[in-house]
Amino acid sequence: MTRLPPSLLPIAAIFVLPALVLADGAGDATWRELSDVHLNVVPRTQEERARVAAIAAAPTDFSVPWPFEENSGGAQTVRARGTADAFSQPAANLTFAQELDFRVGNGMFRRLWVSAPASTLASDGLGPLYNARSCQRCHLKDGRGHPPEGPDDTAVSMVLRVSVPAPDPAALEHYIKGAHATVAEPTYGTQLQDFSLPGHAPEYRLAVEYEEVEVPLSGGEVATLRRPTYEAADLGYGPLAADAMLSPRIAPQMIGMGLLEAIPVEEILARADPDDADGDGISGRAQVVWSDVHDRPMLGRFGHKAGNPSVLEQTASAFAGDIGISNPIHRAGSGECTDLQTDCTAALDGSDPEQGGFEIDQVGLDLVEFYSRTLAVPARRDVGDPEVLRGREVFFETGCSSCHQPNHVTHRLDGDDPASFQLIWPYTDLLLHDMGPGLADNRPEGRADGREWRTAPLWGIGMTETVSGHTNFLHDGRARSLLEAVLWHGGEAQAARDAVMDLPPVDRAALIRYLESL
């Protein structure tokens, strides 16, 4: 019988919330008061808390499938399709009216935006600088993006984030205590755009070179990693600031976002151990970011460094930064253009009085948000396969589950919210972890430093090739296989990575087989 690590013992303790203060001037509010404000939460009773603790406690018998683990997204789970549409299905528990909203939101997610002025007033306002013409162009089939493969491959599903250190943190609006003080790069903003409308120069071209690195494994096996070097080439508006910090990011998969949003903040915080008080080498930290919608600090959940607090704000920032579309949260008609890009800021935009003066109004934004929140997670495959069962045991034995927390129970939400009170299996703690120098981008974001990343959810990861046509993983797609992704882990995950390297080859193969079943 395998002994479970402390992170997987019954979770009755998760409801003891640390009374931590988020930010100077925040009214001495606790994280819970600030982070769940956007959800219509029905408080759990003591009886319900006991039920949750019992349901979410991981079984100790690794010889058989565990109850409900096949249903990765709880009642939202759909059957696993063997086609590229596997990530594009509506949650299984939507009402008829909600499925209509999902379909309309899908149409807007796929909409190709055009430059203003245009006869299609509801679809104009693209750019002037942009990374893609639609949400779908980055998140093709709602799946994972990839880095450019050769000079003829555009980086449409990959962006380069940029920032510079703030000269005076105290002067920053909405500065959060404990955050790394950064501001937009003066000329290029917070994200480099590689496409532009006629008459405007694109900001850059992403160039990537790789160095092949051999890694010896037990049993005489050898893996080959590729170490990337990135260059912002062909800069269209002059040099970057000398202290500019760049971070490449591929578009993440879209499934299960509403379920991740509904995980109680106190459950996430209870697993945080920023000072490694238990001495296990794992010191996950909570990301805290400013919410423009709620005008207060909130727990960060979305993005590779958990830089957005909600699906709504993630959606709005993508419209502005990736497509150049103004909305009620990001109001500039010129999108990411900076004050130094005067032709760009002076260009005609697609703001429409019938849409509140924006290029997409709140109704449209809400529909795309609803679509993004209710994309279903496919069911697990082969849960009873003996090799998969052995791989699951290896996953726990090597310590992978310390950060990739298997299951959660979502909030009970008022009304007919499809994310309400679901046992889900996303395999993430939604915390920030130091992943070592190999994966460091050296660009802080909020409370995340240049070596920290949010634990990526693993549900659906085994269907990446089916949906996206490739097997590129990690924040920049450098890993060409699940094994390569594991071998890039360092920092807090170094011990788990070393354990995987030292496994008998048959157990290492079983681990990968297990990940492919998720």
Side-chain angles (χ1 to χ4, degrees):
M1 190 73 69
T2 300
R3 184 177 181 273
L4 296 178
S7 63
L8 295 166
L9 295 176
I11 59 170
I14 69 173
F15 301 103
V16 180
L17 181 67
L20 299 174
V21 178
L22 280 186
D24 295 330
D28 293 340
T30 64
W31 281 354
R32 180 180 182 182
E33 290 168 341
L34 294 174
S35 298
D36 283 339
V37 66
H38 65 305
L39 298 175
N40 295 317
V41 175
V42 178
R44 286 176 176 166
T45 64
Q46 287 299 115
E47 179 182 1
E48 198 163 67
R49 289 177 174 182
R51 284 179 58 204
V52 168
I55 291 171
T60 57
D61 186 356
F62 284 87
S63 66
V64 295
W66 293 339
F68 314 116
E69 71 169 323
E70 185 175 11
N71 295 326
S72 301
Q76 292 197 13
T77 307
V78 297
R79 67 176 177 85
R81 291 163 170 79
T83 70
D85 292 323
F87 287 177
S88 301
Q89 305 305 312
N93 62 347
L94 298 187
T95 65
F96 179 76
Q98 287 172 335
E99 188 163 346
L100 288 178
D101 286 343
F102 177 92
R103 301 296 180 189
V104 177
N106 184 22
M108 300 191 71
F109 189 85
R110 298 165 62 92
R111 171 185 289 176
L112 289 174
W113 294 84
V114 298
S115 59
S119 57
T120 54
L121 296 179
S123 300
D124 69 352
L126 175 68
L129 304 175
Y130 60 95
N131 296 109
R133 289 183 57 199
S134 72
C135 307
Q136 175 82 359
R137 287 288 179 92
C138 284
H139 303 276
L140 185 61
K141 292 293 184 179
D142 305 295
R144 191 182 304 269
H146 65 90
E149 301 288 350
D152 297 327
D153 185 13
T154 65
V156 71
S157 58
M158 188 174 192
V159 300
L160 200 58
R161 296 285 176 82
V162 59
S163 56
V164 296
D168 181 11
L172 294 179
E173 185 180 17
H174 307 320
Y175 176 71
I176 295 174
K177 187 177 182 179
H180 297 270
T182 62
V183 293
E185 202 277 342
T187 302
Y188 291 92
T190 62
Q191 181 171 310
L192 292 170
Q193 283 80 31
D194 48 355
F195 293 101
S196 62
L197 297 179
H200 300 271
E203 290 187 318
Y204 86 122
R205 175 180 58 84
L206 179 62
V208 190
E209 292 186 355
Y210 294 103
E211 175 191 359
E212 299 286 332
V213 180
E214 288 192 348
V215 179
L217 306 175
S218 63
E221 297 183 347
V222 177
T224 302
L225 307 183
R226 56 178 188 175
R227 180 181 291 118
T229 300
Y230 299 97
E231 179 189 2
D234 303 335
L235 290 166
Y237 297 86
L240 288 159
D243 53 357
M245 301 172 289
L246 302 174
S247 180
R249 312 280 179 88
I250 64 168
Q253 62 186 32
M254 297 287 294
I255 56 175
M257 292 179 68
L259 295 169
L260 296 176
E261 186 174 51
I263 297 172
V265 67
E266 66 264 34
E267 180 178 335
I268 297 168
L269 293 179
R271 294 189 172 92
D273 186 15
D275 300 317
D276 193 18
D278 60 8
D280 67 352
I282 307 298
S283 52
R285 300 195 304 125
Q287 173 67 289
V288 183
V289 296
W290 189 265
S291 167
D292 291 324
V293 172
H294 300 286
D295 198 31
R296 66 188 73 192
M298 289 175 60
L299 180 74
R301 298 174 189 251
F302 299 104
H304 291 291
K305 286 183 182 276
N308 266 311
S310 67
V311 179
L312 177 63
E313 293 190 61
Q314 179 79 1
T315 302
S317 62
F319 266 115
D322 299 345
I323 315 177
I325 299 298
S326 64
N327 56 73
I329 300 175
H330 297 278
R331 297 170 173 263
S334 55
E336 262 275 296
C337 300
T338 68
D339 291 341
L340 296 179
Q341 295 169 328
T342 53
D343 289 345
C344 189
T345 56
L348 187 65
D349 63 56
S351 58
D352 185 353
E354 294 185 2
Q355 297 188 113
F358 304 112
E359 291 163 334
I360 185 171
D361 62 10
Q362 190 66 53
V363 173
L365 196 61
D366 288 344
L367 285 166
V368 177
E369 178 218 12
F370 184 78
Y371 172 76
S372 302
R373 283 200 299 113
T374 54
L375 280 163
V377 182
R380 283 274 312 279
R381 283 86 54 212
D382 304 322
V383 293
D385 181 274
E387 187 179 27
V388 170
L389 291 172
R390 175 55 188 155
R392 181 183 62 182
E393 190 169 14
V394 172
F395 184 83
F396 283 79
E397 288 175 342
T398 53
C400 301
S401 58
S402 295
C403 299
H404 290 284
Q405 169 64 31
N407 61 12
H408 300 268
V409 176
T410 62
H411 273 303
R412 186 179 292 282
L413 303 172
D414 198 12
D416 56 358
D417 193 307
S420 178
F421 208 54
Q422 303 294 317
L423 172 64
I424 61 174
W425 300 78
Y427 292 85
T428 176
D429 58 9
L430 292 179
L431 295 173
L432 301 170
H433 294 276
D434 180 347
M435 296 300 292
L439 288 179
D441 66 349
N442 300 311
R443 177 185 177 269
E445 181 177 337
R447 290 191 168 189
D449 66 27
R451 292 165 49 124
E452 289 180 309
W453 301 94
R454 182 203 66 165
T455 304
L458 298 182
W459 51 12
I461 197 167
M463 302 192 74
T464 297
E465 186 169 16
T466 298
V467 172
S468 302
H470 64 75
T471 54
N472 294 117
F473 302 107
L474 301 177
H475 68 278
D476 57 359
R478 70 178 68 184
R480 296 162 294 188
S481 68
L482 290 170
L483 179 60
E484 285 187 34
V486 172
L487 296 178
W488 271 110
H489 284 49
E492 295 173 43
Q494 183 72 41
R497 180 250 196 193
D498 292 347
V500 171
M501 292 178 62
D502 293 337
L503 286 170
V506 65
D507 282 347
R508 194 161 47 240
L511 173 64
I512 300 305
R513 179 84 170 82
Y514 171 64
L515 294 176
E516 290 172 346
S517 79
L518 297 182

